[in-house]
Amino acid sequence: TSPQLWEFAVYHYVATNDWSRAEQALSRLEDHKWALLPVHLELLVKVGQASEALELGERMFRRDPFSALINVYLQHAYAVSGMTDQALEQSELLWEKWPTPGAAQEAMLAAFAQDDPAVIRYWLERLLASGDDSATNPAMAERFDNPQFALDWLRQAEFDTPADRYVAPAWAAYLGDPELALDLMRKSPDPWAFWMPHNAEVRQLAGFKDLLREVGLVDYWREFGWGDYCKPLSEEDFECGPGPAPLPSSR
């Protein structure tokens, strides 16, 4: 089987939350240059391997600093590792070369960890100006100075687009309602954002453990090893912490 077919398999399994098969397919590429696929970074982020994602992301960035995808994944690896300053520095580099809505949104979510309204608004305005296609971000911009008003909107809104299903839980968590954030995460359970700093309180909820079981991450960890956020307590139970300690950057 060609490396290209295994590459396609990894992307497919990561996209469908089939973590074990993604890991197995990736192992078939370890003797090829394809082993440094950006999707490997996506897998590491989604299964909560922040330290490995950061190390690999920085290595990939040194090899190919002009890859938009690697820049995005490295920015996210910094964010989930608790390195918000580095994440925002990477966001500026990313925005300078690729000023897309996705780049601005990832920067805004990283900025949530600083809880600095000026920085968050800075990236939110860039996001809206670049063509954001969600209903959530414009609504949050209108209600930015009234968190309760913003939360009321989130509780009542119907989210039919992938953009809204991704960003709405993040706003709920940032605005201080982890239960609402968890409810919204269940509607679109993509682990890409599970490990962001703004979800630290969400990860302490008992229902979050149920969500991890539902998306297959607990089975994956028991097979391939636990990540940086959750640890086993027994054969049946585990616990999740608010996040990993900040990691040193090698760049």
Side-chain angles (χ1 to χ4, degrees):
T1 305
S2 71
Q4 290 90 342
L5 287 177
W6 284 114
E7 175 188 2
F8 175 80
V10 177
Y11 276 97
H12 171 73
Y13 292 137
V14 170
T16 56
N17 292 2
D18 196 339
W19 319 114
S20 179
R21 287 186 178 178
E23 193 75 47
Q24 293 166 11
L26 193 65
S27 70
R28 302 296 296 266
L29 297 165
E30 62 184 6
D31 294 329
H32 301 273
K33 65 178 181 180
W34 305 94
L36 292 180
L37 290 170
V39 73
H40 190 184
L41 279 175
E42 183 174 352
L43 174 63
L44 290 172
V45 166
K46 288 188 173 184
V47 301
Q49 300 283 2
S51 54
E52 287 188 46
L54 181 60
E55 188 278 329
L56 182 61
E58 290 187 331
R59 182 151 54 99
M60 286 184 173
F61 182 81
R62 288 192 293 269
R63 289 169 58 105
D64 188 3
F66 300 106
S67 165
L69 199 55
I70 290 173
N71 274 266
V72 169
Y73 287 168
L74 178 58
Q75 186 269 7
H76 201 76
Y78 282 132
V80 298
S81 299
M83 303 171 67
T84 305
D85 290 344
Q86 290 89 334
L88 291 175
E89 289 174 9
Q90 191 69 28
S91 296
E92 288 288 358
L93 292 175
L94 184 62
W95 181 261
E96 182 180 344
K97 298 173 183 175
W98 302 281
T100 66
Q105 181 162 276
E106 288 299 314
M108 182 186 72
L109 298 188
F112 282 174
Q114 288 188 335
D115 197 18
D116 184 335
V119 177
I120 296 169
R121 187 184 288 276
Y122 169 78
W123 283 108
L124 178 57
E125 290 175 353
R126 282 184 164 187
L127 171 56
L128 297 179
S130 64
D132 173 59
D133 61 356
S134 76
T136 302
N137 289 318
M140 295 300 99
E142 294 175 3
R143 297 160 175 80
F144 192 79
D145 297 320
N146 190 331
Q148 191 58 53
F149 190 31
L151 282 170
D152 289 342
W153 185 91
L154 288 169
R155 293 189 187 102
Q156 298 171 15
E158 294 291 335
F159 301 110
D160 297 324
T161 68
D164 285 305
R165 291 189 185 118
Y166 175 65
V167 76
W171 275 108
Y174 168 69
L175 293 169
D177 194 333
E179 291 282 0
L180 175 61
L182 180 59
D183 287 342
L184 293 172
M185 288 164 70
R186 289 192 182 103
K187 298 177 182 178
S188 183
D190 184 351
W192 176 253
F194 281 11
W195 316 113
M196 291 288 283
H198 60 256
N199 282 324
E201 289 188 48
V202 180
R203 291 193 289 271
Q204 305 303 296
L205 300 175
F208 182 72
K209 294 166 65 174
D210 294 333
L211 181 60
L212 294 177
R213 293 186 181 99
E214 290 167 12
V215 299
L217 283 174
V218 177
D219 289 338
Y220 168 85
W221 289 328
R222 295 197 185 282
E223 182 177 0
F224 292 98
W226 293 76
D228 297 317
Y229 304 87
C230 303
K231 301 295 180 186
L233 296 174
S234 65
E235 291 186 3
E236 300 297 328
D237 198 13
F238 66 98
E239 65 179 0
C240 297
L247 300 168
S249 169
S250 62
R251 281 175 58 192

